[in-house]
Amino acid sequence: MAAPSFSTTALTPVLIHLLRGASDLASVAATHAKILKAGVASTLASSNHLLAAYCRCGAMSRARELFDGMRDRDVVSWTTLMSGYTASGRSREAVSVLRAMEFSGVQPNVVTLSTAASACARLADAGLGRQVHARAEVAGCARDTIVSTALIDMYGKAGRVDDSRAVFDGMAAPAMNAVSWGAMLAVYAQNALGNEAIQLFAELRTSGNGLAPNHFMLSSVVSACASVVRLSIGKCVHGAVLRLGHGNNEVVAVALVDMYSKCGCYEYSRKVFDRIEQPSIIPYTSIIVAAAKYGHGKCALALLGEMVDRGVQPNDVTLLGVMHACSHSGLVDTGLQFLHSMQSKYGIVPCPSHYTCAVDMLGRAGRLEEAFGLAKEAQVEGNEALLLWNSLLSACRTHKRLDLATLAGQRVSEFNQDVAGGLVVMSNAYASAGQTENAAAVWSSMRQRGIQKDPGCSWIEVKDIPYVFYAGAVSCAGARADEVLMLLDELEYKMREKGYRGRLGSARVSDAHEDDGDGGKGVMVGVHSEILALGFGLLVVPKGMTIRVMKNLRMCCDCHETFKLISGIVEREFVVRDLNRFHHFKTGSCSCNDYW
DNA sequence: TTAGGGTTAG
């Protein structure tokens, strides 16, 4: 038999070029046909090229068919198939390919193991990931830059931050590059460990072998600042973003929009958003969510209209943002229309969160019967249902509807989960209705059952340092504690001149939404934490600067009134971020128009 | 020479 001619021994450069450029199944299949027609011998390399091309266009059944028919398979063939499955969102199959590969006697290399780690990252499965890690140790490549980086990411996505850091710390200095630093920063940011991310970023700048921060690192650090509400550092990082020339990167811009919004600076969010040239769905959603938190409902609706006009289709997150915006602006009927038309108008089936938002919206508007009707109608289960009934319970309490509160309270208690939030609201509902004995009974039952709630706290950032205040405890103000108390006394006096009838600086019977955590005070609480943070802020934040207070619970009506009065008396602006939204106090009134 | 790592909205 004659030796094959040169042209049939391997893929010609032209065919390789065609395969590389092919991004759709039709052109890959056409090139495949050309190869068969030309009688090109199917060498291992040519099969691998074809396999990769099928994987690149996501045609995994064709890829598998080809793979199964191959006479020889090397580590590249196996890894290509794994990578194809991972990219197609079929990570479990990718991991099973690794097992089959080892069973067939082909040894994994660094590329195989980094691909496998990446598949486990997508699954957020630390158990499987640990097995890949062990294989990498056995193969002696666990300290390879790319394998280590993939492992850092894998542990982080699975929530095992300490394991990520151990891999990072185990890397030799020369193996650390911008990607491994970026991966570690992202792990902290994604796990809401903002301060650790900020700390690591500082280490990079002082001892990072001269590595310049890139847009990956910057977006993570900005998002880290958002997660811990560190405005001043966020602004510094924004400066670095501009200096380093990443101001036009959309991902970084989205992180900035989100950071400013979460730090109480909606105007800055809007400025950053307005500089994005052709915003995609994520920047639009991000600014809509920001507008929602500040009660700018009409603005959110305008942004939705603008994005649709520009051909950017909203998704479920966008529409949830729009509904929240309606909810926080009192546009109840508009919000309900969205719920009922999102499927026909945008092709999006409402999720439990959309129903919860609508129920919450009706509840806060006092339309409690409608809210109950919708809550029963919505097919919501599990944790989502708990959230939904909790929000309804809270609305019943606000509108002093003890009859309905009891009904909602029963639904909440059906969940054998952490019901602290619901019980607190129930107790508050009793307290609001003047039934202090029932309120105290709920607290006592919580104590007996060992249920604890997060203590209410508020914090304020001064010169980059967060000061955290708990109800009734002014000690965080340090040497200035007495001054804070004196200032609050003085303000209370001035408020009384304006008709204020409550009490500021001593224990008062009021909403028990905030307890100092010892569980023994029942509904008798001292001055709320946001008032203390405000008092401290008035002393230390220079006149002319907005005082920004953060709170981990919802602000109560008393404190809301107090903040309004004080903003008029001292002629200063305050921004309060509570659990749900932002309040911007100015000249005696609040941006929420008392609707929240 | 065909296969590998990090970012943004809820």
Side-chain angles (χ1 to χ4, degrees):
Chain A
M1 197 175 172
S5 70
F6 176 76
S7 66
T8 62
T9 55
L11 282 182
T12 63
V14 174
L15 290 172
I16 291 175
H17 184 75
L18 281 175
L19 281 177
R20 281 216 186 116
S23 56
D24 60 305
L25 178 56
S27 40
V28 175
T31 311
H32 191 178
K34 274 183 199 145
I35 292 168
L36 294 174
K37 196 175 168 191
V40 175
S42 59
T43 61
L44 181 57
S46 71
S47 298
N48 283 345
H49 270 290
L50 256 177
L51 185 62
Y54 278 122
C55 287
R56 268 198 300 274
C57 62
M60 289 314 294
S61 51
R62 296 294 289 272
R64 185 82 214 200
E65 203 180 313
L66 180 70
F67 180 85
D68 287 340
M70 283 165 69
R71 263 174 305 162
D72 301 312
R73 300 171 190 128
D74 64 0
V75 64
V76 176
S77 332
W78 287 97
T79 308
T80 304
L81 188 68
M82 277 179 66
S83 166
Y85 278 127
T86 309
S88 306
R90 294 162 68 173
S91 301
R92 288 239 172 250
E93 283 156 282
V95 179
S96 58
V97 169
L98 175 65
R99 289 202 198 94
M101 169 186 175
E102 290 182 320
F103 188 72
S104 78
V106 177
Q107 291 307 307
N109 64 15
V110 285
V111 184
T112 321
L113 290 162
S114 53
T115 307
S118 163
C120 297
R122 283 168 183 251
L123 293 167
D125 187 331
L128 272 183
R130 212 173 288 287
Q131 291 175 29
V132 172
H133 191 172
R135 284 185 172 101
E137 291 286 1
V138 171
C141 60
R143 277 164 186 72
D144 169 82
T145 300
I146 297 180
V147 172
S148 290
T149 306
L151 288 170
I152 290 168
D153 178 54
M154 178 277 295
Y155 282 123
K157 294 279 185 339
R160 308 293 176 99
V161 178
D162 290 344
D163 291 321
S164 291
R165 185 63 200 235
V167 175
F168 182 76
D169 288 337
M171 292 175 80
M176 310 261 245
N177 63 13
V179 186
S180 48
W181 279 88
M184 193 63 230
L185 284 168
V187 166
Y188 283 135
Q190 287 160 357
N191 286 276
L193 293 167
N195 290 322
E196 285 79 355
I198 290 164
Q199 171 70 31
L200 187 67
F201 187 64
E203 283 171 32
L204 168 80
R205 311 225 66 181
T206 53
S207 61
N209 299 330
L211 284 173
N214 60 23
H215 61 283
F216 286 95
M217 300 178 197
L218 291 165
S219 49
S220 289
V221 176
V222 171
S223 133
C225 294
S227 77
V228 286
V229 203
R230 300 287 296 273
L231 177 62
S232 50
I233 294 186
K235 281 182 174 170
C236 289
V237 180
H238 189 177
V241 165
L242 299 176
R243 277 196 306 279
L244 295 161
H246 298 291
N248 291 323
N249 180 281
E250 187 187 274
V251 177
V252 176
V254 168
L256 286 166
V257 166
D258 187 54
M259 184 274 292
Y260 281 122
S261 142
K262 287 180 176 156
C263 290
C265 308
Y266 176 76
E267 284 74 19
Y268 283 24
S269 282
R270 187 66 212 224
K271 273 185 191 162
V272 175
F273 173 80
D274 287 340
R275 287 181 57 95
I276 304 175
E277 277 189 17
Q278 296 251 303
S280 69
I281 182 170
I282 297 182
Y284 267 116
T285 305
S286 171
I287 192 70
I288 285 172
V289 168
K293 282 185 191 139
Y294 290 82
H296 301 324
K298 296 233 166 82
C299 179
L301 291 170
L303 284 158
L304 177 72
E306 183 189 301
M307 72 184 278
V308 172
D309 286 347
R310 287 187 174 183
V312 182
Q313 285 307 305
N315 64 13
D316 56 332
V317 185
T318 321
L319 294 186
L320 183 64
V322 173
M323 284 183 63
H324 270 129
C326 294
S327 174
H328 289 304
S329 324
L331 302 168
V332 184
D333 291 314
T334 311
L336 284 177
Q337 276 169 21
F338 270 101
L339 179 73
H340 294 125
S341 68
M342 55 199 282
Q343 191 162 4
S344 59
K345 217 168 162 185
Y346 302 103
I348 295 158
V349 181
C351 318
S353 47
H354 296 107
Y355 281 104
T356 304
C357 177
V359 166
D360 182 58
M361 180 164 63
L362 284 167
R364 271 184 292 105
R367 290 159 65 171
L368 292 168
E369 276 78 9
E370 279 176 82
F372 263 80
L374 190 60
K376 286 182 198 154
E377 185 188 307
Q379 300 288 314
V380 177
E381 289 173 357
N383 233 354
E384 295 279 3
L386 182 60
L387 281 174
L388 187 150
W389 287 102
N390 247 333
S391 106
L392 204 40
L393 177 54
S394 174
C396 294
R397 174 232 152 193
T398 306
H399 294 281
K400 301 195 176 10
R401 288 288 301 270
L402 195 57
D403 53 334
L404 293 175
T406 313
L407 284 176
Q410 276 168 359
R411 298 298 282 261
V412 169
S413 63
E414 284 165 16
F415 296 91
N416 274 331
Q417 297 179 42
D418 174 19
V419 290
L423 287 169
V424 171
V425 177
M426 197 65 230
S427 137
N428 291 340
Y430 282 125
S432 301
Q435 302 186 14
T436 46
E437 281 186 14
N438 282 333
V442 174
W443 279 101
S444 142
S445 145
M446 280 176 67
R447 269 200 304 280
Q448 280 168 7
R449 290 156 65 187
I451 298 173
Q452 292 191 340
K453 68 180 277 279
D454 289 340
C457 68
S458 300
W459 65 99
I460 180 170
E461 195 185 274
V462 180
K463 286 184 185 154
D464 211 24
I465 298 166
Y467 293 82
V468 186
F469 292 86
Y470 291 87
V474 77
S475 53
C476 171
R480 308 201 69 172
D482 287 341
E483 277 179 87
V484 171
L485 292 177
M486 279 184 342
L487 175 63
L488 290 177
D489 272 344
E490 190 187 323
L491 286 169
E492 187 176 332
Y493 179 77
K494 288 184 178 162
M495 283 160 66
R496 286 187 185 285
E497 289 180 337
K498 290 184 176 279
Y500 178 72
R501 291 286 165 263
R503 295 294 302 275
L504 246 196
S506 59
R508 56 180 170 172
V509 177
S510 82
D511 307 318
H513 78 298
E514 187 175 295
D515 184 73
D516 65 1
D518 70 9
K521 289 193 172 178
V523 293
M524 294 294 291
V525 292
V527 60
H528 285 171
S529 58
E530 59 267 53
I531 304 280
L532 294 173
L534 177 66
F536 182 63
L538 285 167
L539 285 178
V540 299
V541 178
K543 186 114 184 163
M545 274 178 74
T546 302
I547 296 175
R548 296 169 202 280
V549 174
M550 307 291 160
K551 182 170 170 65
N552 68 341
L553 301 173
R554 229 175 116 175
M555 214 180 179
C556 74
C557 300
D558 286 351
C559 289
H560 194 259
E561 284 304 308
T562 304
F563 270 64
K564 275 165 44 183
L565 283 169
I566 296 180
S567 76
I569 292 168
V570 301
E571 296 176 346
R572 295 194 63 168
E573 292 184 32
F574 319 134
V575 171
V576 178
R577 188 215 67 174
D578 75 2
L579 198 58
N580 290 330
R581 58 167 295 157
F582 284 89
H583 299 269
H584 192 156
F585 299 92
K586 193 177 174 183
T587 58
S589 58
C590 176
S591 59
C592 78
N593 289 322
D594 299 334
Y595 189 93
W596 85 96

mmCIF file of all heavy atoms in Angstrom, chain A residues 19-30 49-63 80 83-84 87-88, chain B residues 3:
data_model
loop_
_atom_site.group_PDB
_atom_site.id
_atom_site.type_symbol
_atom_site.label_atom_id
_atom_site.label_comp_id
_atom_site.label_asym_id
_atom_site.label_seq_id
_atom_site.Cartn_x
_atom_site.Cartn_y
_atom_site.Cartn_z
ATOM 1 N N LEU A 19 -11.198 25.986 11.564
ATOM 2 C CA LEU A 19 -11.739 25.472 12.824
ATOM 3 C C LEU A 19 -11.626 26.490 13.952
ATOM 4 O O LEU A 19 -12.529 26.650 14.753
ATOM 5 C CB LEU A 19 -11.005 24.181 13.236
ATOM 6 C CG LEU A 19 -11.420 22.902 12.525
ATOM 7 C CD1 LEU A 19 -10.561 21.737 12.979
ATOM 8 C CD2 LEU A 19 -12.890 22.585 12.780
ATOM 9 N N ARG A 20 -10.496 27.187 13.975
ATOM 10 C CA ARG A 20 -10.278 28.167 15.040
ATOM 11 C C ARG A 20 -11.281 29.307 14.963
ATOM 12 O O ARG A 20 -11.733 29.833 15.966
ATOM 13 C CB ARG A 20 -8.869 28.749 14.938
ATOM 14 C CG ARG A 20 -7.830 27.830 15.507
ATOM 15 C CD ARG A 20 -6.765 28.706 16.185
ATOM 16 N NE ARG A 20 -5.667 27.875 16.632
ATOM 17 C CZ ARG A 20 -4.431 27.979 16.148
ATOM 18 N NH1 ARG A 20 -4.154 28.851 15.202
ATOM 19 N NH2 ARG A 20 -3.489 27.209 16.623
ATOM 20 N N GLY A 21 -11.585 29.684 13.721
ATOM 21 C CA GLY A 21 -12.479 30.833 13.547
ATOM 22 C C GLY A 21 -13.949 30.456 13.695
ATOM 23 O O GLY A 21 -14.808 31.326 13.748
ATOM 24 N N ALA A 22 -14.243 29.150 13.755
ATOM 25 C CA ALA A 22 -15.644 28.729 13.758
ATOM 26 C C ALA A 22 -16.248 28.865 15.152
ATOM 27 O O ALA A 22 -15.746 28.283 16.107
ATOM 28 C CB ALA A 22 -15.739 27.283 13.290
ATOM 29 N N SER A 23 -17.318 29.646 15.241
ATOM 30 C CA SER A 23 -17.928 29.811 16.558
ATOM 31 C C SER A 23 -19.331 29.206 16.583
ATOM 32 O O SER A 23 -19.985 29.212 17.603
ATOM 33 C CB SER A 23 -17.989 31.288 16.926
ATOM 34 O OG SER A 23 -18.689 31.960 15.910
ATOM 35 N N ASP A 24 -19.790 28.691 15.436
ATOM 36 C CA ASP A 24 -21.115 28.076 15.433
ATOM 37 C C ASP A 24 -21.022 26.659 14.885
ATOM 38 O O ASP A 24 -20.109 26.315 14.134
ATOM 39 C CB ASP A 24 -22.085 28.904 14.595
ATOM 40 C CG ASP A 24 -21.617 29.026 13.167
ATOM 41 O OD1 ASP A 24 -20.459 29.490 12.979
ATOM 42 O OD2 ASP A 24 -22.352 28.653 12.258
ATOM 43 N N LEU A 25 -21.991 25.866 15.271
ATOM 44 C CA LEU A 25 -21.999 24.450 14.925
ATOM 45 C C LEU A 25 -21.963 24.249 13.417
ATOM 46 O O LEU A 25 -21.230 23.387 12.913
ATOM 47 C CB LEU A 25 -23.245 23.786 15.531
ATOM 48 C CG LEU A 25 -23.435 22.308 15.232
ATOM 49 C CD1 LEU A 25 -22.219 21.500 15.653
ATOM 50 C CD2 LEU A 25 -24.683 21.782 15.936
ATOM 51 N N ALA A 26 -22.705 25.083 12.678
ATOM 52 C CA ALA A 26 -22.786 24.894 11.228
ATOM 53 C C ALA A 26 -21.412 24.984 10.582
ATOM 54 O O ALA A 26 -21.037 24.123 9.759
ATOM 55 C CB ALA A 26 -23.725 25.936 10.623
ATOM 56 N N SER A 27 -20.619 25.977 10.953
ATOM 57 C CA SER A 27 -19.318 26.103 10.282
ATOM 58 C C SER A 27 -18.333 25.035 10.746
ATOM 59 O O SER A 27 -17.499 24.584 9.954
ATOM 60 C CB SER A 27 -18.742 27.508 10.444
ATOM 61 O OG SER A 27 -18.965 27.996 11.723
ATOM 62 N N VAL A 28 -18.430 24.618 12.016
ATOM 63 C CA VAL A 28 -17.551 23.528 12.466
ATOM 64 C C VAL A 28 -17.903 22.248 11.702
ATOM 65 O O VAL A 28 -17.022 21.538 11.198
ATOM 66 C CB VAL A 28 -17.677 23.287 13.991
ATOM 67 C CG1 VAL A 28 -16.843 22.080 14.409
ATOM 68 C CG2 VAL A 28 -17.237 24.502 14.770
ATOM 69 N N ALA A 29 -19.218 21.993 11.586
ATOM 70 C CA ALA A 29 -19.659 20.780 10.893
ATOM 71 C C ALA A 29 -19.230 20.818 9.428
ATOM 72 O O ALA A 29 -18.813 19.798 8.855
ATOM 73 C CB ALA A 29 -21.164 20.633 11.019
ATOM 74 N N ALA A 30 -19.294 22.022 8.826
ATOM 75 C CA ALA A 30 -18.893 22.156 7.414
ATOM 76 C C ALA A 30 -17.409 21.857 7.261
ATOM 77 O O ALA A 30 -16.999 21.144 6.321
ATOM 78 C CB ALA A 30 -19.211 23.567 6.927
ATOM 79 N N HIS A 49 -8.289 18.892 17.536
ATOM 80 C CA HIS A 49 -8.688 20.188 16.976
ATOM 81 C C HIS A 49 -10.199 20.231 16.773
ATOM 82 O O HIS A 49 -10.866 21.203 17.152
ATOM 83 C CB HIS A 49 -8.006 20.408 15.626
ATOM 84 C CG HIS A 49 -6.687 21.099 15.732
ATOM 85 N ND1 HIS A 49 -6.562 22.414 16.074
ATOM 86 C CD2 HIS A 49 -5.416 20.637 15.535
ATOM 87 C CE1 HIS A 49 -5.271 22.751 16.088
ATOM 88 N NE2 HIS A 49 -4.556 21.688 15.772
ATOM 89 N N LEU A 50 -10.718 19.182 16.188
ATOM 90 C CA LEU A 50 -12.151 19.127 15.906
ATOM 91 C C LEU A 50 -12.959 19.112 17.202
ATOM 92 O O LEU A 50 -13.965 19.817 17.341
ATOM 93 C CB LEU A 50 -12.472 17.845 15.138
ATOM 94 C CG LEU A 50 -12.727 17.979 13.650
ATOM 95 C CD1 LEU A 50 -12.949 16.607 13.042
ATOM 96 C CD2 LEU A 50 -13.955 18.865 13.412
ATOM 97 N N LEU A 51 -12.474 18.299 18.137
ATOM 98 C CA LEU A 51 -13.140 18.190 19.431
ATOM 99 C C LEU A 51 -13.239 19.575 20.099
ATOM 100 O O LEU A 51 -14.295 19.989 20.582
ATOM 101 C CB LEU A 51 -12.340 17.230 20.321
ATOM 102 C CG LEU A 51 -12.899 16.868 21.687
ATOM 103 C CD1 LEU A 51 -14.233 16.147 21.555
ATOM 104 C CD2 LEU A 51 -11.908 15.985 22.448
ATOM 105 N N ALA A 52 -12.121 20.282 20.088
ATOM 106 C CA ALA A 52 -12.084 21.614 20.697
ATOM 107 C C ALA A 52 -13.063 22.548 19.999
ATOM 108 O O ALA A 52 -13.740 23.352 20.651
ATOM 109 C CB ALA A 52 -10.674 22.175 20.641
ATOM 110 N N ALA A 53 -13.136 22.425 18.690
ATOM 111 C CA ALA A 53 -14.030 23.305 17.934
ATOM 112 C C ALA A 53 -15.484 23.022 18.297
ATOM 113 O O ALA A 53 -16.275 23.956 18.514
ATOM 114 C CB ALA A 53 -13.804 23.126 16.441
ATOM 115 N N TYR A 54 -15.852 21.762 18.396
ATOM 116 C CA TYR A 54 -17.224 21.427 18.799
ATOM 117 C C TYR A 54 -17.510 21.937 20.223
ATOM 118 O O TYR A 54 -18.583 22.459 20.511
ATOM 119 C CB TYR A 54 -17.475 19.912 18.718
ATOM 120 C CG TYR A 54 -17.812 19.422 17.320
ATOM 121 C CD1 TYR A 54 -17.048 18.445 16.685
ATOM 122 C CD2 TYR A 54 -18.909 19.960 16.635
ATOM 123 C CE1 TYR A 54 -17.358 18.012 15.405
ATOM 124 C CE2 TYR A 54 -19.220 19.527 15.348
ATOM 125 C CZ TYR A 54 -18.447 18.555 14.738
ATOM 126 O OH TYR A 54 -18.754 18.131 13.469
ATOM 127 N N CYS A 55 -16.545 21.764 21.112
ATOM 128 C CA CYS A 55 -16.734 22.251 22.492
ATOM 129 C C CYS A 55 -16.902 23.763 22.530
ATOM 130 O O CYS A 55 -17.729 24.291 23.256
ATOM 131 C CB CYS A 55 -15.550 21.846 23.370
ATOM 132 S SG CYS A 55 -15.531 20.097 23.765
ATOM 133 N N ARG A 56 -16.067 24.462 21.735
ATOM 134 C CA ARG A 56 -16.124 25.932 21.741
ATOM 135 C C ARG A 56 -17.498 26.442 21.348
ATOM 136 O O ARG A 56 -17.943 27.471 21.823
ATOM 137 C CB ARG A 56 -15.073 26.512 20.799
ATOM 138 C CG ARG A 56 -13.752 26.813 21.462
ATOM 139 C CD ARG A 56 -12.918 27.768 20.601
ATOM 140 N NE ARG A 56 -12.632 27.219 19.272
ATOM 141 C CZ ARG A 56 -11.605 26.413 19.009
ATOM 142 N NH1 ARG A 56 -10.767 26.069 19.961
ATOM 143 N NH2 ARG A 56 -11.416 25.952 17.798
ATOM 144 N N CYS A 57 -18.178 25.715 20.442
ATOM 145 C CA CYS A 57 -19.504 26.224 20.065
ATOM 146 C C CYS A 57 -20.610 25.553 20.879
ATOM 147 O O CYS A 57 -21.784 25.677 20.557
ATOM 148 C CB CYS A 57 -19.728 26.142 18.568
ATOM 149 S SG CYS A 57 -19.695 24.497 17.898
ATOM 150 N N GLY A 58 -20.216 24.844 21.924
ATOM 151 C CA GLY A 58 -21.211 24.311 22.871
ATOM 152 C C GLY A 58 -21.949 23.082 22.376
ATOM 153 O O GLY A 58 -22.938 22.676 22.975
ATOM 154 N N ALA A 59 -21.454 22.478 21.261
ATOM 155 C CA ALA A 59 -22.137 21.293 20.723
ATOM 156 C C ALA A 59 -21.607 20.053 21.431
ATOM 157 O O ALA A 59 -20.848 19.255 20.863
ATOM 158 C CB ALA A 59 -21.901 21.205 19.218
ATOM 159 N N MET A 60 -22.031 19.859 22.665
ATOM 160 C CA MET A 60 -21.433 18.807 23.480
ATOM 161 C C MET A 60 -21.824 17.406 23.048
ATOM 162 O O MET A 60 -21.056 16.459 23.225
ATOM 163 C CB MET A 60 -21.746 19.031 24.968
ATOM 164 C CG MET A 60 -21.017 20.208 25.571
ATOM 165 S SD MET A 60 -19.263 20.274 25.153
ATOM 166 C CE MET A 60 -18.649 18.815 25.986
ATOM 167 N N SER A 61 -23.001 17.245 22.451
ATOM 168 C CA SER A 61 -23.346 15.873 22.028
ATOM 169 C C SER A 61 -22.478 15.463 20.832
ATOM 170 O O SER A 61 -22.013 14.321 20.756
ATOM 171 C CB SER A 61 -24.836 15.749 21.723
ATOM 172 O OG SER A 61 -25.211 16.760 20.852
ATOM 173 N N ARG A 62 -22.212 16.434 19.930
ATOM 174 C CA ARG A 62 -21.325 16.143 18.800
ATOM 175 C C ARG A 62 -19.906 15.885 19.297
ATOM 176 O O ARG A 62 -19.196 14.997 18.811
ATOM 177 C CB ARG A 62 -21.321 17.317 17.796
ATOM 178 C CG ARG A 62 -22.656 17.561 17.132
ATOM 179 C CD ARG A 62 -23.072 16.420 16.231
ATOM 180 N NE ARG A 62 -22.275 16.333 15.007
ATOM 181 C CZ ARG A 62 -22.575 16.988 13.882
ATOM 182 N NH1 ARG A 62 -23.642 17.783 13.829
ATOM 183 N NH2 ARG A 62 -21.820 16.869 12.811
ATOM 184 N N ALA A 63 -19.505 16.687 20.300
ATOM 185 C CA ALA A 63 -18.156 16.524 20.855
ATOM 186 C C ALA A 63 -18.003 15.137 21.477
ATOM 187 O O ALA A 63 -17.015 14.433 21.248
ATOM 188 C CB ALA A 63 -17.887 17.606 21.899
ATOM 189 N N THR A 80 -9.932 18.625 27.008
ATOM 190 C CA THR A 80 -10.799 19.419 26.130
ATOM 191 C C THR A 80 -12.265 19.094 26.418
ATOM 192 O O THR A 80 -13.107 19.999 26.550
ATOM 193 C CB THR A 80 -10.473 19.110 24.657
ATOM 194 O OG1 THR A 80 -9.097 19.351 24.428
ATOM 195 C CG2 THR A 80 -11.306 19.959 23.719
ATOM 196 N N SER A 83 -13.307 20.573 29.742
ATOM 197 C CA SER A 83 -13.456 22.015 29.630
ATOM 198 C C SER A 83 -14.761 22.368 28.915
ATOM 199 O O SER A 83 -15.461 23.317 29.297
ATOM 200 C CB SER A 83 -12.247 22.554 28.878
ATOM 201 O OG SER A 83 -12.488 23.842 28.469
ATOM 202 N N GLY A 84 -15.096 21.575 27.899
ATOM 203 C CA GLY A 84 -16.336 21.794 27.157
ATOM 204 C C GLY A 84 -17.546 21.647 28.069
ATOM 205 O O GLY A 84 -18.449 22.488 28.061
ATOM 206 N N ALA A 87 -17.726 24.633 30.475
ATOM 207 C CA ALA A 87 -18.186 25.870 29.829
ATOM 208 C C ALA A 87 -19.677 25.797 29.491
ATOM 209 O O ALA A 87 -20.338 26.830 29.416
ATOM 210 C CB ALA A 87 -17.366 26.123 28.566
ATOM 211 N N SER A 88 -20.195 24.582 29.307
ATOM 212 C CA SER A 88 -21.619 24.442 28.984
ATOM 213 C C SER A 88 -22.478 24.328 30.235
ATOM 214 O O SER A 88 -23.658 23.993 30.133
ATOM 215 C CB SER A 88 -21.854 23.201 28.126
ATOM 216 O OG SER A 88 -21.036 23.232 27.000
ATOM 217 P P DA B 3 -7.599 24.913 22.256
ATOM 218 O OP1 DA B 3 -8.906 25.552 22.063
ATOM 219 O OP2 DA B 3 -6.379 25.728 22.192
ATOM 220 O "O5'" DA B 3 -7.566 24.136 23.640
ATOM 221 C "C5'" DA B 3 -8.729 23.418 24.059
ATOM 222 C "C4'" DA B 3 -8.522 22.880 25.455
ATOM 223 O "O4'" DA B 3 -7.439 21.942 25.462
ATOM 224 C "C3'" DA B 3 -8.075 23.937 26.453
ATOM 225 O "O3'" DA B 3 -9.234 24.583 26.966
ATOM 226 C "C2'" DA B 3 -7.443 23.065 27.532
ATOM 227 C "C1'" DA B 3 -6.942 21.863 26.772
ATOM 228 N N9 DA B 3 -5.476 21.831 26.664
ATOM 229 C C8 DA B 3 -4.677 22.616 25.886
ATOM 230 N N7 DA B 3 -3.395 22.373 26.026
ATOM 231 C C5 DA B 3 -3.355 21.361 26.960
ATOM 232 C C6 DA B 3 -2.303 20.653 27.553
ATOM 233 N N6 DA B 3 -1.008 20.863 27.259
ATOM 234 N N1 DA B 3 -2.602 19.705 28.452
ATOM 235 C C2 DA B 3 -3.877 19.488 28.748
ATOM 236 N N3 DA B 3 -4.965 20.089 28.272
ATOM 237 C C4 DA B 3 -4.623 21.018 27.365
#
